[in-house]
Amino acid sequence: MDKLTGWNLGKASGPLPLSHSSALPLLAFSQSLSELDSLWDLPSPWIAWAKNACTAQSRTLEDFGVLKSSYFFGFGARSFVHVMADAQSGVNCIALCSALGEVHNEHAAAWILDELWKLYGHPAQFLPSHSQLTALVRACSGILATTEFSRITDRMLGHTLEIVDLDMPNIEDIAKALRGLFRISRGEIARIAVMGGTDCAFIASFAHWVLNLKVHVEDEAGRIIYRDAPSDDAQVTVTYCRQAALSLVQISSTTFILRDDDWMLMRSQALHEANLTIRTPWDGCLTRVFGTTFAALIKAPTILGAFLGSTARIYQALALGESDVGPFLRKTYINFVETSYGIGFINSVVTIFPELKRVDGLFEEMQLGLDVPFREALKIVERNVLHLEVLCQCEKCTRGSTLTGCQVSLAFTIRELVSTLSCIAMDDGILPTVRGLDHTRGRQHSMWIAVSPGDGRPLLATALNLGMQGVYGEDATILKDFDRLAHPIEIFSGYSNHTRYVARPDQPHDSGEYCTAAVNQGLCYYLDCLRSVNSHAENARTVHIIPGHIQMDDRQFSHVYDISAGTTEPSAETAPVQFDILGDLESTSIKQQPRQFDIKMEMLGLEKARDHELIVYYRATIPGGPVIKLQPGRISKAVLKGNGILTCKRSHCTSRLVLPCALVRQGWLVAYECDLQTWAKSSTGPKCLIWPQSDDLARCVAIQLHMLKLKEDIVLRKNECISCCTVGVVHDSNHQNYCQLYHLM
């Protein structure tokens, strides 16, 4: 387990602890599953994996901070469910709950457990509450995230995506079918037959991967999808059928029908809770989800390759701060990870989606697009989008055709998926969901529909998903508060209303409570700023995904937020800045006298009044100065916003400053009423305040202190000369009339 800044990131043995006060009802439930008999002794893939996980050496969790608490992502050793693994019935319970949680929403899985309890005939007064069953499923979720179980489930589904949807069948039927599997494992019956829709895939994969039963799966036409034994010898026979055909099936004691469940939809908190989570392998996922539309798209590799290659070229110009970025707003571009622009983007296309690597000529065409000038790349993107529109036969592209499947929006979808996934660091084996990929395509198609001459959304803004000058305000562009987590959650959970799990609509826009981590279906998503706070744009853009949960002490949390903006106000100890006004020529003393600091940083966490929410912030102590509370989420957003604005001519630099500039010598705070503000307002037009920090933590402190000021902006420099920096600020200020003072850090 990695130990980084007091957080333990990674996987240990067992999931995170439940509240021990709920242990008795859950232990009673696990005892009720003893009917599975000696599951531990079966030669199934689940047991091979579980024995290795449950006997792993315990890790010691690191205490951190003044609260003497342990904060970590992933799986921890101090676990109620880990204790359950010591008993046979506990292993049975973990196997069932983790498998249910991998395919079903945690509430749906809890309802299935509820139905199993009733089938066993246990007294109703001892039935665990729905919240307790949900907590049990939540604790077990993620255990199978990187195993073959998801691949097996997708394989069991076969090609039936074209004839069945992913809606939830009747949960009572699922419970009955599961008990039928348990009876086979005890030798009470020889075989069962299961008929229905998508959830048949879960029954088949659970029987094969967990219980090691012989399975035969076929579609409604009798075509074999999977079998490890002839149909006469199979212990579990699964047949996919349309709901209309199920009414004609003759039911026996060993035949289970999985019907649609309207009642399930009524008791769901939201419609998406009734949907199944089907994960699909990366290699072949585009064919799997987009079918004939994808097959038609790759028949034009020259067009698709030119579009993606020129996109990579345009992203490279924005990421590296080239002098010409056309009509695009630099501050709305956030993909600074090397794999998300230029040659890195092209390599990501074929690395993330291996089926694209096998398309003849696609990679070479993308490389050609990378070698053109920026303005030519813009023309290539627009030209090839129009070419795809001509080839496509969907209703949007033909303006009236009834054919479905838009090749243009699918090309946009591939671009969007690569842009997001290339900025994610995740465990091997985590697979995307069918619904998540399809929802991404749906959003891109909605944007494509909005493209039209005149008042519609500009084609280039849609094709590249970039903010453009004079078209959309900053808040309507790619740089939104929660986009860094929301789209990954959509891809790997399948929820279309993904912002519900990250953002809270009841919070005001300027509250500062930015989400930096979230858990959904056993996967933990967190921003890199929770590992360490710094001003590196590549780190600020990186999202980490690991199986597991978020925990502080013995409590689990669903979200991590920044501390409220109101608590980060500077104290009276914060010294005002002392500055020198520079002349028209660049001062050489800027490079010779950087400010040196020995800032001490520590991470702290506070439990919120709201359930399952945790506040995490950094506390920076400046020797002889104030104590500053840092908001990691807001700082990382400011870092992304402040990068890519500056460019330096290097050998053609001049020493002349094109804007009035002042140099900070001492202090931290620019008060609203001070000599510096008087200077900033002394004339119209923007001015630059130069912070010659040599310490990255000092730069983060300065960012925190000044990013909330409405008429000031932050621009981050690397090795650019001050003269070229002022030129970049002038270009940026042409699109922002409100900014009076730029902090050049």
Side-chain angles (χ1 to χ4, degrees):
M1 179 184 295
D2 299 328
K3 297 180 180 179
L4 300 169
T5 323
W7 292 70
N8 293 326
L9 310 176
K11 294 176 291 185
S13 52
L16 296 183
L18 297 167
S19 172
H20 288 265
S21 63
S22 63
L24 291 179
L26 297 178
L27 283 174
F29 181 77
S30 67
Q31 290 293 334
S32 73
L33 295 180
S34 60
E35 189 173 318
L36 273 74
D37 201 24
S38 55
L39 181 63
W40 189 256
D41 297 325
L42 290 175
S44 70
W46 149 256
I47 294 304
W49 180 90
K51 286 183 176 180
N52 178 65
C54 293
T55 57
Q57 183 178 3
S58 297
R59 276 79 164 177
T60 301
L61 299 179
E62 180 181 55
D63 286 341
F64 178 78
V66 297
L67 300 180
K68 298 300 180 185
S69 302
S70 299
Y71 319 103
F72 57 91
F73 297 138
F75 292 126
R78 298 183 305 174
S79 170
F80 167 69
V81 179
H82 183 59
V83 175
M84 291 176 59
D86 293 334
Q88 174 62 54
S89 58
V91 173
N92 299 346
C93 186
I94 294 173
L96 176 60
C97 294
S98 59
L100 283 171
E102 187 65 22
V103 178
H104 304 85
N105 177 273
E106 61 188 29
H107 293 289
W111 286 322
I112 295 172
L113 295 179
D114 180 275
E115 290 296 327
L116 277 172
W117 180 282
K118 296 175 184 177
L119 286 176
Y120 284 121
H122 295 303
Q125 61 266 32
F126 297 120
L127 173 65
S129 67
H130 180 74
S131 62
Q132 288 175 320
L133 292 176
T134 302
L136 177 60
V137 174
R138 185 182 299 127
C140 296
S141 295
I143 290 179
L144 304 182
T146 58
T147 68
E148 288 293 313
F149 183 76
S150 293
R151 296 177 185 268
I152 294 296
T153 304
D154 183 64
R155 185 177 177 185
M156 294 297 184
L157 192 59
H159 53 268
T160 57
L161 277 177
E162 299 177 0
I163 63 170
V164 299
D165 55 31
L166 299 182
D167 291 339
M168 183 77 178
N170 185 285
I171 59 173
E172 183 179 353
D173 294 341
I174 299 174
K176 290 178 179 179
L178 283 171
R179 191 176 184 190
L181 297 180
F182 301 161
R183 294 183 66 193
I184 295 177
S185 72
R186 287 182 57 85
E188 295 180 2
I189 57 177
R191 60 179 56 86
I192 65 171
V194 182
M195 307 180 73
T198 313
D199 220 272
C200 288
F202 166 72
I203 298 297
S205 59
F206 186 84
H208 170 76
W209 200 80
V210 178
L211 300 179
N212 200 40
L213 301 179
K214 296 178 180 178
V215 176
H216 179 94
V217 183
E218 61 184 31
D219 65 12
E220 60 183 354
R223 291 174 294 185
I224 296 175
I225 296 175
Y226 177 86
R227 68 175 180 181
D228 53 10
S231 58
D232 293 340
D233 297 333
Q235 295 168 288
V236 181
T237 300
V238 172
T239 305
Y240 290 101
C241 293
R242 301 177 192 270
Q243 290 297 314
L246 293 177
S247 60
L248 305 177
V249 177
Q250 184 176 359
I251 300 177
S252 67
S253 60
T254 58
T255 300
F256 299 91
I257 305 298
L258 306 186
R259 301 160 294 178
D260 281 341
D261 191 1
D262 296 334
W263 178 70
M264 168 71 180
L265 297 180
M266 289 188 289
R267 64 170 158 177
S268 297
Q269 297 180 2
L271 180 63
H272 60 259
E273 290 182 353
N275 296 332
L276 301 183
T277 301
I278 301 297
R279 302 187 183 278
T280 187
W282 290 106
D283 193 356
C285 65
L286 298 177
T287 300
R288 176 76 161 141
V289 179
F290 306 121
T292 55
T293 305
F294 177 69
L297 179 63
I298 59 177
K299 289 180 180 178
T302 301
I303 297 176
L304 179 61
F307 167 72
L308 294 175
S310 298
T311 297
R313 173 66 183 90
I314 294 168
Y315 287 174
Q316 176 178 279
L318 288 160
L320 300 182
E322 293 184 10
S323 57
D324 182 12
V325 293
F328 302 115
L329 295 172
R330 296 176 186 269
K331 289 187 177 180
T332 64
Y333 182 80
I334 64 174
N335 292 332
F336 293 99
V337 180
E338 287 187 1
T339 52
S340 64
Y341 62 85
I343 189 62
F345 180 94
I346 293 175
N347 289 331
S348 293
V349 170
V350 296
T351 301
I352 296 171
F353 301 115
E355 56 198 308
L356 290 177
K357 186 177 182 179
R358 296 190 289 270
V359 177
D360 291 339
L362 180 65
F363 187 80
E364 291 77 12
E365 196 65 38
M366 288 192 293
Q367 287 182 311
L368 292 176
L370 188 62
D371 295 334
V372 301
F374 177 84
R375 292 285 175 171
E376 181 62 24
L378 294 180
K379 297 177 182 178
I380 293 175
V381 167
E382 188 167 11
R383 182 167 61 246
N384 283 278
V385 168
L386 296 178
H387 286 337
L388 282 177
E389 184 179 18
V390 172
L391 294 176
C392 186
Q393 294 297 310
C394 75
E395 184 175 357
K396 153 68 177 175
C397 295
T398 60
R399 293 168 176 79
S401 172
T402 58
L403 297 179
T404 59
C406 179
Q407 296 179 42
V408 178
S409 58
L410 181 53
F412 294 172
T413 300
I414 294 173
R415 182 262 304 147
E416 181 71 3
L417 289 170
V418 173
S419 293
T420 299
L421 295 168
S422 60
C423 298
I424 292 177
M426 61 184 178
D427 279 20
D428 294 336
I430 297 179
L431 304 177
T433 62
V434 171
R435 283 190 182 275
L437 297 176
D438 195 49
H439 288 321
T440 303
R441 191 258 300 267
R443 287 189 293 105
Q444 295 302 312
H445 189 61
S446 297
M447 294 170 61
W448 171 232
I449 290 175
V451 173
S452 63
D455 297 334
R457 182 178 173 90
L459 188 151
L460 282 176
T462 301
L464 300 167
N465 197 19
L466 295 174
M468 293 181 64
Q469 302 168 10
V471 178
Y472 292 97
E474 183 179 316
D475 293 334
T477 61
I478 191 174
L479 185 58
K480 296 179 181 178
D481 300 342
F482 304 102
D483 274 355
R484 285 176 285 168
L485 290 180
H487 192 209
I489 291 176
E490 178 183 68
I491 294 172
F492 293 99
S493 74
Y495 295 132
S496 58
N497 188 22
H498 53 283
T499 54
R500 174 181 173 225
Y501 294 89
V502 184
R504 288 199 308 272
D506 59 315
Q507 290 298 308
H509 178 72
D510 60 349
S511 68
E513 295 191 358
Y514 291 94
C515 184
T516 52
V519 171
N520 188 277
Q521 284 194 285
L523 292 180
C524 180
Y525 308 78
Y526 65 96
L527 300 182
D528 193 83
C529 58
L530 291 181
R531 295 161 64 98
S532 65
V533 60
N534 58 67
S535 63
H536 303 300
E538 182 169 356
N539 295 341
R541 181 62 183 94
T542 300
V543 176
H544 297 266
I545 305 177
I546 60 173
H549 306 270
I550 304 169
Q551 181 181 345
M552 182 177 74
D553 295 329
D554 290 329
R555 295 211 41 152
Q556 292 183 18
F557 298 89
S558 61
H559 296 83
V560 175
Y561 289 94
D562 277 352
I563 196 167
S564 175
T567 66
T568 62
E569 292 295 329
S571 65
E573 299 176 330
T574 307
V577 298
Q578 297 181 20
F579 63 97
D580 295 334
I581 297 177
L582 303 180
D584 291 339
L585 298 180
E586 180 180 346
S587 173
T588 56
S589 62
I590 294 176
K591 301 177 181 178
Q592 297 173 356
Q593 299 181 17
R595 305 200 319 161
Q596 301 287 344
F597 300 96
D598 184 20
I599 299 176
K600 296 182 179 180
M601 188 84 70
E602 58 183 343
M603 178 188 286
L604 300 175
L606 297 173
E607 185 176 347
K608 296 201 63 171
R610 299 183 183 91
D611 290 339
H612 310 302
E613 294 182 3
L614 180 68
I615 292 176
V616 170
Y617 65 97
Y618 292 90
R619 186 171 65 183
T621 303
I622 303 173
V627 175
I628 306 296
K629 295 178 181 178
L630 305 183
Q631 301 168 290
R634 285 194 67 113
I635 290 176
S636 64
K637 179 184 176 181
V639 168
L640 293 175
K641 185 178 176 181
N643 266 278
I645 297 173
L646 306 177
T647 182
C648 192
K649 299 177 182 179
R650 306 300 179 187
S651 60
H652 299 88
C653 296
T654 67
S655 59
R656 183 167 296 278
L657 304 178
V658 299
L659 287 179
C661 295
L663 178 68
V664 175
R665 292 300 184 191
Q666 297 182 30
W668 290 96
L669 184 61
V670 179
Y672 284 105
E673 298 297 334
C674 66
D675 293 340
L676 185 62
Q677 287 289 353
T678 302
W679 168 75
K681 299 176 183 178
S682 61
S683 60
T684 59
K687 297 176 178 61
C688 284
L689 181 63
I690 303 168
W691 295 75
Q693 260 80 278
S694 62
D695 189 323
D696 190 68
L697 289 180
R699 183 152 73 161
C700 292
V701 170
I703 291 173
Q704 177 67 54
L705 288 173
H706 298 289
M707 65 183 172
L708 300 180
K709 296 183 180 298
L710 297 179
K711 293 189 177 182
E712 299 179 8
D713 219 335
I714 296 171
V715 178
L716 302 181
R717 59 182 289 240
K718 297 176 183 177
N719 298 316
E720 300 88 355
C721 68
I722 298 300
S723 175
C724 288
C725 288
T726 59
V727 174
V729 168
V730 168
H731 290 163
D732 181 74
S733 65
N734 290 335
H735 315 299
Q736 301 189 87
N737 296 325
Y738 63 86
C739 188
Q740 292 180 335
L741 184 62
Y742 281 81
H743 294 268
L744 190 58
M745 298 181 180

